[in-house]
Amino acid sequence: MLTFKDYTMDQLQLPLSFEDFIPENHLVRVVNTIVDSLDLSPLYDRYKQGGCPAYHPRMMLKVMIYSYSQKTYSSRMIAKALRENINFMWIAGGNKPDFRTINRFRLQMKDIIEDIFYEVVKLLIDKKYIKLQNYFLDGTKIEANANKYSFVWNKSVRNYDRKLDEKIKAHLREIDQIVAEENQIYLEEDLEEKGEHTRITAEQVAAVVESIDKKLEREPENKPLKKKAREFKKDILPRKKKYEKSLETFEGRNSYSKTDHDATFMRMKEDAMLNGQLKPGYNIQIGTEKRYIVGFTIHPNPTDTTTMIPHLQHLKEKLGRFPENIVADAGYGSEENYEYLEEKQLGNYVKYNKFHWEKRRKNRENPYLPEHLPYNKERDCFLCRNGKHLEHVGDRKYVTDAGYETRRDYYRCEDCGGCPYAGECKNSDKPKTIRISHRLNELKRKANENLCSEKGLELRSQRVVEVEQTFGRIKGCWSFRRFLLRGKEKVKIEWGLLSIAHNITKMALEG
């Protein structure tokens, strides 16, 4: 005779509380405890009195953080989990906001997500999880929610704008009377004589249209003038406004996406087609300690070099102090960054681009490299292997995008004729010339001493584990490789929730 366990669908069973089904040390309980301990007054200030009561913001924040820790990012999937998942039901207290309410709440966190994130970081510091001692800085590129074929290139827009200016000048020359009135602005030869920029603005084109309209009031039967007026109004002026708007959108970048103006086209590590195709994305910079995310910033530029200073300034603004030591790879090793670390008296464990290259034996023993040439400080010259002097022949100043001014000095050999080492020393028939930055070399020497010290070796070995594991969890384990929201401010919301979820998850694992 067959026997089975009792199966009665309409039978009431105990316990009746969701909490009884959740293990004592479950992540959802940790999220609940941590969020209850946070000061959420900035979040409460977003609400106004009167009207229909809103869902409790503390409950909504708990749901958002827990959902991101469970790889649930879509508002529709979160709403579904609130109806079907016991953990979600318990932390929401049985509330079931729909996907519109969830998405609206997420967007309302635009100005306060960083405040909430740094509240969690301060909690980590208070509970001795982190000491703000060794700060491991690195970045990753994450694809934006934008069409990958919606690119706009800075160089192309400037080229189209230049050709349009030439077309405008050609039209103005055909309209003799208009050219006569406006020649102080538009005639190419007058502008060149004054040494002024020849670019024509939309405001100036609008003034031309107004002048043509006035002429047409006096000469309504002038068909050539009417034709020019139509072309200016329907083609030239709209295009000029479009180009000006694009140039404003670039903000120093080389490109942007039409579907997300804050996203820049950059190379991604995730290259399924293996063709190096550029994709719209954001450069996410994070700093970690003991694999906790201590700070983050979102940048539109693909290079890491220019992100260090604004990132550290932002961290100081939020936490009130800098970490003791900064550890980063060669992507951050620049004169400007080294000067900043020295000025703020921070431990410099940042590699420079030739750090490992210099350690190779063939480069370490190469007597022809500028770094190995003896330098006479009093005479300001170098001495080559053949005993000839490389005299100072000039210098050149450079200014970075951030306004930092640096200098490069040039030295040229007094006589390379008949030198037995010329074939190994240089690649041309011209006298050997080298370019040197004495200040950068001094800063690199100090950085090299730190990196090769006992502490530097330890921090260098930790750096790979620290940041890469953090990115590995978010991009690999949690499968977050593309943002759902558009715009830098909304992207900051998503990354802020991910960072909070990561930190709380790690706290739960450590107990």
Side-chain angles (χ1 to χ4, degrees):
M1 182 178 180
L2 296 175
T3 58
F4 301 98
K5 293 184 183 294
D6 185 43
Y7 173 62
T8 307
M9 294 181 62
D10 56 355
Q11 176 68 43
L12 293 177
Q13 297 182 15
L14 294 176
L16 298 178
S17 173
F18 292 141
E19 186 173 5
D20 296 327
F21 294 101
I22 300 173
E24 186 176 349
N25 58 348
H26 196 278
L27 173 60
V28 73
R29 291 186 182 272
V30 180
V31 172
N32 180 65
T33 303
I34 296 298
V35 176
D36 279 340
S37 66
L38 299 178
D39 177 17
L40 299 182
S41 53
L43 185 58
Y44 292 153
D45 293 341
R46 309 284 295 187
Y47 292 83
K48 298 179 181 179
Q49 295 182 353
C52 179
Y55 287 102
H56 202 290
R58 194 177 292 272
M59 178 275 294
M60 295 292 289
L61 180 60
K62 292 177 183 178
V63 169
M64 293 304 303
I65 293 173
Y66 182 66
S67 64
Y68 270 72
S69 72
Q70 300 303 300
K71 303 195 299 184
T72 307
Y73 312 120
S74 164
S75 57
R76 292 180 184 270
M77 296 305 295
I78 296 172
K80 184 175 184 289
L82 288 169
R83 299 191 302 269
E84 300 176 357
N85 189 304
I86 290 178
N87 297 332
F88 279 86
M89 292 178 181
W90 175 75
I91 202 169
N95 291 295
K96 296 180 177 63
D98 61 16
F99 72 93
R100 294 184 183 86
T101 304
I102 294 169
N103 195 47
R104 192 183 307 118
F105 174 80
R106 179 164 52 185
L107 295 178
Q108 286 177 347
M109 299 173 68
K110 180 171 60 176
D111 300 326
I112 60 174
I113 187 63
E114 286 185 334
D115 296 331
I116 298 172
F117 167 75
Y118 284 104
E119 280 292 317
V120 176
V121 173
K122 290 173 184 176
L123 181 67
L124 290 171
I125 297 173
D126 293 340
K127 292 185 176 293
K128 309 300 181 184
Y129 284 96
I130 59 177
K131 301 177 182 179
L132 210 61
Q133 185 176 11
N134 299 321
Y135 193 76
F136 297 87
L137 177 64
D138 204 354
T140 190
K141 298 177 181 64
I142 296 185
E143 190 175 349
N145 181 12
N147 189 322
K148 61 183 177 180
Y149 299 114
S150 61
F151 42 76
V152 180
W153 300 105
N154 193 327
K155 186 176 180 180
S156 297
V157 172
R158 292 188 181 279
N159 186 39
Y160 294 146
D161 187 62
R162 178 182 56 79
K163 290 181 178 180
L164 183 61
D165 286 352
E166 294 173 358
K167 183 177 181 180
I168 292 171
K169 292 171 184 176
H171 282 305
L172 290 174
R173 290 189 181 95
E174 293 177 11
I175 311 171
D176 294 334
Q177 293 179 345
I178 299 297
V179 171
E181 293 178 3
E182 303 292 337
N183 60 0
Q184 295 301 315
I185 299 176
Y186 298 109
L187 278 184
E188 190 171 3
E189 53 268 25
D190 289 342
L191 288 167
E192 289 176 350
E193 287 176 5
K194 294 182 178 182
E196 299 178 11
H197 185 54
T198 59
R199 183 176 176 273
I200 300 173
T201 65
E203 184 179 356
Q204 291 170 328
V205 176
V208 171
V209 173
E210 185 178 352
S211 299
I212 295 175
D213 287 340
K214 289 180 180 178
K215 289 292 180 184
L216 286 173
E217 289 178 3
R218 295 193 297 269
E219 304 175 21
E221 301 301 325
N222 192 330
K223 292 184 179 180
L225 202 56
K226 284 184 178 180
K227 183 178 179 181
K228 295 296 181 184
R230 283 195 301 270
E231 187 168 0
F232 267 94
K233 292 178 181 178
K234 294 185 177 181
D235 177 40
I236 294 177
L237 184 56
R239 282 170 59 193
K240 177 58 70 172
K241 290 181 178 179
K242 176 185 174 183
Y243 296 153
E244 281 195 354
K245 186 177 180 181
S246 294
L247 292 172
E248 292 175 3
T249 305
F250 285 118
E251 296 180 341
R253 297 175 293 162
N254 291 327
S255 63
Y256 72 84
S257 170
K258 293 178 183 177
T259 47
D260 184 354
H261 289 180
D262 291 337
T264 308
F265 280 79
M266 53 186 76
R267 299 191 186 280
M268 305 285 177
K269 287 184 178 178
E270 293 78 16
D271 186 9
M273 302 299 292
L274 300 178
N275 58 1
Q277 184 180 21
L278 300 177
K279 297 179 183 177
Y282 292 91
N283 186 356
I284 312 298
Q285 295 289 315
I286 69 168
T288 67
E289 183 179 356
K290 295 183 178 179
R291 293 184 292 282
Y292 287 101
I293 299 178
V294 183
F296 74 88
T297 48
I298 315 292
H299 301 269
N301 48 304
T303 57
D304 291 336
T305 310
T306 57
T307 62
M308 173 183 278
I309 294 176
H311 178 91
L312 293 177
Q313 288 175 338
H314 181 77
L315 188 71
K316 170 69 162 52
E317 178 185 338
K318 293 297 183 180
L319 295 180
R321 65 187 178 98
F322 289 108
E324 294 180 20
N325 302 309
I326 308 300
V327 188
D329 61 21
Y332 301 88
S334 69
E335 183 179 344
E336 183 177 3
N337 289 341
Y338 286 154
E339 285 280 18
Y340 182 82
L341 295 176
E342 188 166 277
E343 177 189 344
K344 302 300 180 182
Q345 298 181 348
L346 303 177
N348 179 3
Y349 295 91
V350 180
K351 294 180 184 177
Y352 46 90
N353 58 351
K354 285 190 174 183
F355 176 75
H356 291 291
W357 182 85
E358 290 177 352
K359 301 295 181 287
R360 297 175 185 172
R361 183 176 178 179
K362 66 176 183 178
N363 299 322
R364 191 173 63 247
E365 299 177 356
N366 188 342
Y368 306 109
L369 294 177
E371 296 88 346
H372 300 158
L373 296 177
Y375 177 64
N376 187 331
K377 189 174 182 180
E378 295 180 358
R379 187 175 170 180
D380 190 19
C381 69
F382 288 87
L383 188 68
C384 76
R385 188 178 181 183
N386 196 33
K388 300 293 184 179
H389 292 96
L390 279 77
E391 303 288 351
H392 186 268
V393 293
D395 60 69
R396 184 176 179 182
K397 292 183 178 179
Y398 299 88
V399 180
T400 67
D401 294 336
Y404 176 80
E405 185 176 290
T406 182
R407 193 183 84 172
R408 298 291 183 268
D409 290 283
Y410 291 82
Y411 296 83
R412 183 174 295 126
C413 184
E414 56 186 356
D415 182 18
C416 287
C419 178
Y421 307 108
E424 300 175 6
C425 183
K426 57 193 183 76
N427 297 324
S428 67
D429 296 333
K430 297 180 180 179
K432 182 178 178 66
T433 303
I434 61 174
R435 187 181 70 163
I436 293 288
S437 171
H438 294 288
R439 179 55 180 161
L440 178 58
N441 286 346
E442 175 64 19
L443 293 169
K444 286 166 67 175
R445 184 189 62 78
K446 294 179 181 178
N448 185 69
E449 289 179 359
N450 292 341
L451 290 164
C452 294
S453 65
E454 185 176 345
K455 184 176 182 179
L457 291 171
E458 180 184 354
L459 292 176
R460 282 164 53 191
S461 64
Q462 290 179 9
R463 187 192 65 80
V464 180
V465 178
E466 277 280 343
V467 190
E468 297 301 339
Q469 280 196 8
T470 304
F471 284 138
R473 162 177 277 176
I474 294 175
K475 298 177 71 174
C477 300
W478 289 0
S479 304
F480 192 90
R481 296 187 178 89
R482 192 172 191 262
F483 289 107
L484 296 179
L485 305 179
R486 293 179 176 179
K488 183 180 176 180
E489 294 302 318
K490 294 179 183 178
V491 162
K492 189 186 297 181
I493 297 172
E494 286 198 90
W495 191 260
L497 288 170
L498 282 166
S499 300
I500 295 170
H502 167 82
N503 286 347
I504 294 178
T505 301
K506 189 164 178 9
M507 290 176 68
L509 291 174
E510 293 185 1

